[in-house]
Amino acid sequence: MKLEELTALYSPLDIEYAQVMSGPYEDLSFHDGDTKVVAGLKDGRISGFWRPVVAVGDDKDLKLHIERLYDICPNIYYMDFLIDGRLSVISQFLLERGHKARPYFTQIIDLTKTEEELHADLRKSYKSLVNKGFGGIDTALGVLRKLHKDTRSNETWHIQSKIIGMQQAFISDDEGKSACLIYHNRYTAYYFSGVSEDGVNSHPCLWMAILQAKALGCKTFEMGEQVFDGDPKLVNISKFKRGFGGKTVTRIILEKDTK
């Protein structure tokens, strides 16, 4: 299975974005044929350029690469997609060396369903909200940037503009009052970020994004992490995302026990 079939993240431009946001990282990645490993070293820790390390490929190749990375630095932050419901050889390797595992939950919508089926899967209270008329799909970051009002560097916005220009992302814009940025590839889409004016519902904006991803031929739409307990803000955001349907999928995060 290709990495692109599992996530719309970790593209070269997404890694360039991470380098600017939280780098610099020493690139330890590998890509040859069906084997792909995304890894970067910074401050005595190997991650997937801030996100977890991810890898796909033949078991024998992956075993060689996790041994290579472990020899460089044993502090590895890794996510296992649990392909076919099994632990990867990388997970097994890290667990045998004392890494701790925790579940990671994410919400994924099946875009092979018809629009009518997707609408039926919406939370009841969402259905009337997504039916109102609104803007559409943009190829510029202006509205999103205006609504964000953050202190990010111009370079990060420039990189995201390039991602849109390379047709690896799009903006869903609700008449300048709400906007969301969606990453995508040939297989899947990812809800990267969204923001709205105070008091404005972002439901129609995100619903249009889901339909646009389906129109582009994506098979799945990943809403992002699901948190069920703890920080009330994260719990509420997760509940909002689940209202768009789909199913909660389990992955595993492995990290070195530093206690």
Side-chain angles (χ1 to χ4, degrees), residues 71-232:
D71 285 344
I72 296 170
C73 176
N75 186 0
I76 297 174
Y77 175 46
Y78 166 72
M79 183 170 70
D80 189 338
F81 289 100
L82 298 177
I83 298 171
D84 297 327
R86 68 179 183 90
L87 286 175
S88 72
V89 294
I90 293 178
S91 290
Q92 295 174 48
F93 179 94
L94 294 174
L95 288 169
E96 289 169 356
R97 286 153 183 79
H99 273 56
K100 301 300 180 184
R102 60 179 172 85
Y104 173 90
F105 305 108
T106 186
Q107 194 75 6
I108 296 181
I109 297 170
D110 179 4
L111 295 183
T112 65
K113 291 185 174 183
T114 66
E115 181 177 337
E116 291 73 20
E117 289 171 326
L118 292 171
H119 191 275
D121 289 342
L122 292 169
R123 186 174 292 147
K124 185 177 180 180
S125 61
Y126 286 17
K127 293 180 179 180
S128 61
L129 294 174
V130 305
N131 289 336
K132 79 176 190 70
F134 70 105
I137 305 303
D138 285 343
T139 57
L141 280 165
V143 171
L144 188 74
R145 187 170 183 176
K146 178 181 177 182
L147 290 170
H148 261 294
K149 301 176 183 177
D150 60 18
T151 56
R152 280 169 44 191
S153 69
N154 289 334
E155 189 174 1
T156 62
W157 289 107
H158 176 66
I159 293 169
Q160 288 189 324
S161 291
K162 287 200 296 182
I163 295 173
I164 294 174
M166 293 292 291
Q167 298 183 349
Q168 297 172 9
F170 64 83
I171 298 288
S172 180
D173 166 24
D174 186 358
E175 299 176 344
K177 299 177 181 179
S178 178
C180 57
L181 174 62
I182 310 299
Y183 282 17
H184 66 91
N185 56 37
R186 291 178 295 166
Y187 305 97
T188 186
Y190 184 89
Y191 176 32
F192 187 88
S193 66
V195 64
S196 301
E197 291 182 353
D198 291 342
V200 174
N201 289 317
S202 59
H203 303 71
C205 183
L206 189 47
W207 172 243
M208 174 59 77
I210 292 168
L211 296 184
Q212 175 66 8
K214 177 177 174 60
L216 289 170
C218 298
K219 304 303 181 187
T220 58
F221 189 104
E222 184 172 355
M223 296 293 290
E225 185 175 12
Q226 287 292 294
V227 177
F228 296 91
D229 185 42
D231 186 331

Side-chain angles (χ1 to χ4, degrees), residues 9-10 14 17-18 25 47-53 77 183 190 192:
L9 301 174
Y10 298 98
D14 185 40
Y17 175 86
Y25 298 86
S47 69
F49 302 88
W50 174 71
R51 297 188 179 92
V53 171
Y77 175 46
Y183 282 17
Y190 184 89
F192 187 88

Side-chain angles (χ1 to χ4, degrees), residues 18-89:
Q19 286 278 27
V20 173
M21 282 290 291
S22 58
Y25 298 86
E26 178 185 350
D27 192 349
L28 304 176
S29 303
F30 176 85
H31 187 195
D32 182 31
D34 294 331
T35 300
K36 186 169 187 177
V37 180
V38 180
L41 174 65
K42 179 187 175 186
D43 298 333
R45 183 178 188 240
I46 295 177
S47 69
F49 302 88
W50 174 71
R51 297 188 179 92
V53 171
V54 290
V56 294
D58 176 80
D59 282 356
K60 183 178 179 181
D61 289 341
L62 293 182
K63 180 70 180 301
L64 290 174
H65 283 290
I66 189 57
E67 289 173 347
R68 170 181 67 88
L69 294 175
Y70 196 84
D71 285 344
I72 296 170
C73 176
N75 186 0
I76 297 174
Y77 175 46
Y78 166 72
M79 183 170 70
D80 189 338
F81 289 100
L82 298 177
I83 298 171
D84 297 327
R86 68 179 183 90
L87 286 175
S88 72
V89 294

